[in-house]
Amino acid sequence: LTSVVSAARAAETTSTHVRAVLMPFDMHSATDISGLRRDVMEVLASTLKREGVEITGLERTKELFEKGVRFDEETSAGISKEAGARFAILGSVTLLEKTYAADWRILDVSEGRVVRFYYKSGASPAELSSMIKDAAPSMSAVMSATLEKKPLERGDTIERITVEGMKRMDSEAVLKKIKSAVGHPYSADDVKDDIHVIFDMGYFDDIAADLSDSETGKELTFVVREKPFVKKITLDGNKKMKEEKIKEILTIKGNTVLNPLTIKADGERIKALYVQNGYYLAEVADEEIEDGVDATVIFHIKEGEPVKVRRIKIIGNRAFSDKGIKGVMTTREAGMFSSITGSGSFNEDVFENDLALIMKNYYDHGYIKADILDYRVILSEDKRWFFITIAVTEGDQYRLGNIDITGDVVGEKKSLLKKLKLKTNEVFNRSKLAKGIDALTDVYGDSGFANAEFTPMTSVDGEKKTVDLTIKAEKNEPVYIDRIDITGNVRTKDKVIRRELEFGEGDLFSTSYLKKSRNNLKRLGYFDDVNITKSEGGEPDRVKLDVDVKERPTGMVTFGVGYSTVDHIIATASVSQSNLMGTGLKLDLSATIGSKSSQYVFGFTEPWFFDKPLSAGFDLFDTSKDYSDFSMKKRGFNLRAGFPISRKTRTTKVYTTYRHEDVNVTKVSPTASPPIKDQEGKSTVSSVTTLIKHDTRDDIFFPREGDVMTASVEVAGGALGGTTNYVRYEGDAAKFFGLPWDTAFSIRGAAGRIQGFGGKAVPLYERYFLGGINSIRGFQSRSLSPKDPVTGELIGGDTKLVITSEFIFPLFPKENLRGVLFFDAGNAYNGAVDLGNLREGAGAGIRWFSPIGPLRIEWGYNLSPEKGE
């Protein structure tokens, strides 16, 4: 209290008639805030002095304070009367999280009543001091007015309660919260509590309570100042960071109460964002411009130059080169093209993960005693570069010794050991061990032991440099599915999702069924993402499954004008919906019109006919095409049905399609080849196709694992009628491999054979013509087939072979945009396949699941063009 005493002594020399004693404030905080209390009392003493209030009795107050006396209203009144003061000022300071607050009251000691209460809060001690200074004039005025009032016969009942200072809110909102009430006895403690309750509403930053007397009772007035509402948030100085990216991380929003703490925190978030992007010198300052009840928040940003990594130095490495260790790190040294590629940036969290990656690399190569001894990240004096040094110790390389599984062995131990895919004498690999334990988890999970635990125990032989591995298995109790909750489906009905699950409520839990269920949902094409997680159920042997989906657009209405090398200008229009009204029904209606072709298609499919895993549907089509030597028109329909080959799996299905098609070939050129002339006139195709499809892909558009295989036989004519007789055999198989960095590789092979019977040749329009985006890229559509030996015209083949390989990599994963590199080979033949006559194409492209549906843009190159190609 020494500084407060000195301020009070100066005040005692004034001639004012208002005298008051400033009592030591109480403190409320989990930490020491005696400094805050000192500052608050100094501000009160000095500002009241300037307003003409004499602060007295400080020597007596200091004496009692040092004795530990508690300064309640009774003690304060005694000290004030002893000092000849009419008023006592009592209060407290509080620090709660990052909010600094002070509340105090003016006690009229001659009448034993509080004449006014105050409550102030701020985001910093400086802000709190400023608000206390602003309150000094009203404190002086209240005490002067009290001295001038004539004594009245006063009652203790509250006659009236009012709220002043409300601009946006209704005073009733405040009156409903407080304890004090009209007609009830006045209580100073209640008023103190009321002030805190009003502040906790969050809409006010300045609260006071005035108490006055009338002949019939007391009048209580709460004087508040509303916090302004944020009307606008602006950024100033952000040139290298987009405004949208910064505003994504802000927690302050428009039309919310201005909160200085939130604003300060958002300033720190902006700075952290710049640091993450290498701008370690960035500075952020906030400014609030208040206009009555509205406020504009401005973040002033000084970006500075990005700090790059100049050098990464590795010490102590023998098994791996510097380049090898740097290769596993995400943090890179700045290079010539850093401004373009973004390399060389430093992020502390990323670097911490890099240290873990370095250790993982050692552990995966048998260096089980490797460690990082120390590391240093030093900023250069000019604050432009980071210099990183990492010191490692490697130890010796260890190999696997004996491998065993103990405890609760489910099935044959030999089979479980195979699942581990670990071999004696191979280099110890921690990641491989983790994958092996995951495989065991799946095995036990398929038997219902969802809570199985596996503890790897190692015994290290330092002389032989081997690690004996024993995995202790605890299967625990079998687990059943308690409940299945589905979230994220805004359009898709619950039953459409539930019918694709391989399990139901009450079933024994199965890890493989969970994985199959996820793949079933992904193959529908309705969802961008599917997550199935398990959590504790109502009983220890029960689990709850949460199926969370993220829907993607499944419907399109499109109109377009395009260009084709064959048709030149073409116009298209289509309506398609693969999840009609969220029911899973599929609808397609499209029309394409060009100068030399037209196509109209209407299709409808019910994938679960009568709520059974049976699909049924039909297609109506009408197409026409003008070729160089003839014109052709097709009109007809398809009737389709499909069903799973067994109840246990839905990955293998059988499909049957009946096709009826009327074909009319006209405008045949006199110089056309005989096979083309033979097609002139009307013909009818009546065929049945039986197809078996096995599909285990994890996604229909961007698969990273699994395979899809089809085998089909189509029979036309004979007992089915029509004018054409042929049998077609086709097979198609593709395998997908997930690779690091969200990339994938696939290889596909397709073969077909068609032959006539009953003395009838295969129609030209049913023969094989390859080339184009859906067969061998780098060649024009339908440009690969055998030729007429006389005229040189393409007449189609009765055999085909296509081999395709693709490497797919992410470009912008969040936007579902990926790149592709491809190689295609194949040809169409008459008779046997000639592997020496394969045509080859290669190229690159973009795959994008856009807001209007999946798009492919690909450019192919003919690797060995022949004359005229």
Side-chain angles (χ1 to χ4, degrees), residues 249-261:
I249 65 170
L250 299 182
T251 57
I252 184 173
K253 304 297 181 184
N255 292 318
T256 58
V257 174
L258 181 70
N259 187 328
L261 295 177

Side-chain angles (χ1 to χ4, degrees), residues 119-321:
Y119 187 96
K120 309 287 183 182
S121 69
S124 66
E127 185 178 347
L128 179 60
S129 295
S130 177
M131 299 180 76
I132 292 172
K133 290 177 182 177
D134 293 341
S138 73
M139 294 176 65
S140 175
V142 166
M143 288 187 279
S144 296
T146 302
L147 290 174
E148 295 171 2
K149 285 184 179 179
K150 294 181 179 181
L152 294 171
E153 290 295 330
R154 301 178 179 93
D156 289 330
T157 302
I158 299 175
E159 180 185 359
R160 185 181 180 205
I161 302 176
T162 58
V163 183
E164 294 180 358
M166 305 286 277
K167 295 180 179 179
R168 180 183 288 107
M169 295 182 62
D170 188 345
S171 60
E172 286 297 321
V174 173
L175 296 176
K176 288 180 180 178
K177 293 282 186 179
I178 62 177
K179 286 183 182 179
S180 302
V182 173
H184 287 67
Y186 161 77
S187 166
D189 289 336
D190 284 351
V191 175
K192 283 174 56 180
D193 292 341
D194 290 341
I195 288 178
H196 284 276
V197 167
I198 295 171
F199 177 77
D200 289 341
M201 294 175 68
Y203 297 106
F204 312 103
D205 59 7
D206 192 348
I207 306 168
D210 274 334
L211 188 67
S212 60
D213 294 297
S214 67
E215 295 183 355
T216 56
K218 297 186 180 295
E219 294 185 0
L220 179 61
T221 303
F222 291 99
V223 183
V224 300
R225 187 178 74 176
E226 290 183 327
K227 292 180 181 179
F229 266 47
V230 177
K231 284 299 181 184
K232 189 177 182 182
I233 305 168
T234 61
L235 304 174
D236 174 45
N238 57 309
K239 297 178 181 178
K240 298 170 183 176
M241 192 82 68
K242 290 184 178 180
E243 183 172 318
E244 295 80 7
K245 189 173 183 179
I246 295 175
K247 286 192 173 180
E248 278 181 2
I249 65 170
L250 299 182
T251 57
I252 184 173
K253 304 297 181 184
N255 292 318
T256 58
V257 174
L258 181 70
N259 187 328
L261 295 177
T262 303
I263 294 172
K264 295 292 182 187
D266 278 347
E268 293 298 322
R269 287 188 178 90
I270 295 174
K271 185 172 181 178
L273 178 64
Y274 272 92
V275 168
Q276 288 175 6
N277 287 271
Y279 293 88
Y280 280 79
L281 306 180
E283 297 179 3
V284 181
D286 60 84
E287 180 185 6
E288 297 81 53
I289 301 176
E290 298 183 18
D291 181 16
V293 294
D294 295 330
T296 298
V297 178
I298 305 173
F299 290 102
H300 298 284
I301 302 169
K302 292 182 180 180
E303 295 179 320
E305 291 298 319
V307 182
K308 296 287 186 178
V309 177
R310 185 64 175 268
R311 186 189 69 221
I312 300 175
K313 186 176 182 180
I314 312 296
I315 299 174
N317 54 311
R318 299 187 311 275
F320 299 102
S321 65

Side-chain angles (χ1 to χ4, degrees), residues 429-465:
N429 187 314
R430 183 177 289 185
S431 294
K432 195 173 181 181
L433 171 60
K435 289 181 180 179
I437 291 177
D438 287 342
L440 292 181
T441 302
D442 289 344
V443 172
Y444 278 65
D446 284 344
S447 299
F449 301 106
N451 296 327
E453 298 176 7
F454 302 92
T455 306
M457 298 178 291
T458 58
S459 177
V460 178
D461 189 326
E463 293 184 4
K464 296 181 179 179
K465 308 303 179 192

Side-chain angles (χ1 to χ4, degrees), residues 655-777:
Y655 297 91
T656 300
T657 302
Y658 172 73
R659 174 166 65 109
H660 183 91
E661 185 176 272
D662 293 324
V663 184
N664 189 13
V665 177
T666 60
K667 300 178 182 179
V668 178
S669 171
T671 59
S673 63
I676 295 177
K677 290 181 178 179
D678 292 343
Q679 303 301 312
E680 188 169 16
K682 296 182 179 180
S683 59
T684 301
V685 177
S686 179
S687 73
V688 171
T689 301
T690 300
L691 179 145
I692 300 177
K693 183 177 183 179
H694 177 73
D695 190 350
T696 62
R697 291 174 293 177
D698 60 342
D699 190 279
I700 192 171
F701 293 110
F702 298 123
R704 297 193 70 248
E705 64 177 47
D707 51 60
V708 55
M709 295 178 287
T710 62
S712 66
V713 177
E714 180 186 11
V715 179
L720 297 171
T723 60
T724 57
N725 294 349
Y726 64 82
V727 179
R728 186 196 310 268
Y729 309 92
E730 289 189 343
D732 195 318
K735 180 73 174 176
F736 301 90
F737 305 89
L739 299 176
W741 303 298
D742 197 26
T743 62
F745 176 77
S746 68
I747 186 167
R748 170 179 172 259
R753 171 73 174 169
I754 186 171
Q755 59 189 45
F757 66 88
K760 294 184 179 181
V762 177
L764 184 73
Y765 49 81
E766 296 293 345
R767 297 173 70 84
Y768 294 115
F769 295 83
L770 302 184
I773 197 169
N774 291 316
S775 59
I776 303 176
R777 289 158 287 190

Side-chain angles (χ1 to χ4, degrees), residues 427-596:
V427 173
F428 181 83
N429 187 314
R430 183 177 289 185
S431 294
K432 195 173 181 181
L433 171 60
K435 289 181 180 179
I437 291 177
D438 287 342
L440 292 181
T441 302
D442 289 344
V443 172
Y444 278 65
D446 284 344
S447 299
F449 301 106
N451 296 327
E453 298 176 7
F454 302 92
T455 306
M457 298 178 291
T458 58
S459 177
V460 178
D461 189 326
E463 293 184 4
K464 296 181 179 179
K465 308 303 179 192
T466 59
V467 179
D468 292 336
L469 175 66
T470 302
I471 297 177
K472 182 181 178 182
E474 294 180 70
K475 63 182 181 180
N476 297 318
E477 293 297 318
V479 174
Y480 294 85
I481 299 171
D482 188 12
R483 193 170 79 247
I484 302 172
D485 290 340
I486 299 174
T487 57
N489 53 319
V490 179
R491 295 181 299 274
T492 308
K493 297 184 182 300
D494 268 24
K495 81 168 188 176
V496 173
I497 297 174
R498 288 184 184 274
R499 68 194 185 190
E500 296 296 333
L501 303 179
E502 299 283 350
F503 43 70
E505 293 169 345
D507 290 351
L508 190 67
F509 177 84
S510 168
T511 303
S512 62
Y513 277 7
L514 187 146
K515 183 177 180 180
K516 287 180 181 179
S517 298
R518 179 185 180 276
N519 289 348
N520 289 347
L521 292 171
K522 289 284 284 182
R523 283 196 299 271
L524 291 175
Y526 305 163
F527 311 111
D528 272 331
D529 197 13
V530 177
N531 287 303
I532 305 178
T533 56
K534 62 184 179 73
S535 56
E536 293 183 1
E539 301 292 337
D541 63 341
R542 300 280 173 171
V543 294
K544 181 171 76 73
L545 296 181
D546 297 295
V547 182
D548 182 53
V549 298
K550 181 182 178 183
E551 293 180 319
R552 61 166 50 131
T554 57
M556 289 184 291
V557 179
T558 63
F559 301 91
V561 177
Y563 179 82
S564 163
T565 53
V566 176
D567 294 302
H568 303 295
I569 299 297
I570 58 174
T572 67
S574 69
V575 177
S576 67
Q577 175 57 268
S578 60
N579 186 17
L580 186 63
M581 299 176 67
T583 62
L585 297 173
K586 298 181 180 180
L587 176 70
D588 291 288
L589 177 62
S590 65
T592 302
I593 303 173
S595 61
K596 295 184 179 181

Side-chain angles (χ1 to χ4, degrees), residues 566-567 595-597 624-628 630-632 667:
V566 176
D567 294 302
S595 61
K596 295 184 179 181
S597 67
S624 62
K625 184 84 171 178
D626 291 336
Y627 296 96
S628 59
F630 65 97
S631 296
M632 182 171 61
K667 300 178 182 179

Side-chain angles (χ1 to χ4, degrees), residues 613-659:
L614 309 173
S615 65
F618 66 87
D619 304 296
L620 305 176
F621 54 87
D622 187 323
T623 65
S624 62
K625 184 84 171 178
D626 291 336
Y627 296 96
S628 59
D629 291 333
F630 65 97
S631 296
M632 182 171 61
K633 184 176 181 64
K634 293 182 179 181
R635 180 179 294 171
F637 64 87
N638 296 326
L639 296 177
R640 297 175 276 103
F643 54 90
I645 201 167
S646 73
R647 292 184 178 182
K648 293 184 178 180
T649 177
R650 301 180 220 185
T651 56
T652 304
K653 295 183 178 181
V654 177
Y655 297 91
T656 300
T657 302
Y658 172 73
R659 174 166 65 109

Side-chain angles (χ1 to χ4, degrees), residues 775-795:
S775 59
I776 303 176
R777 289 158 287 190
F779 295 82
Q780 291 185 0
S781 178
R782 297 176 60 88
S783 65
L784 294 179
S785 91
K787 298 179 180 179
D788 185 285
V790 178
T791 64
E793 292 177 291
L794 299 175
I795 57 175

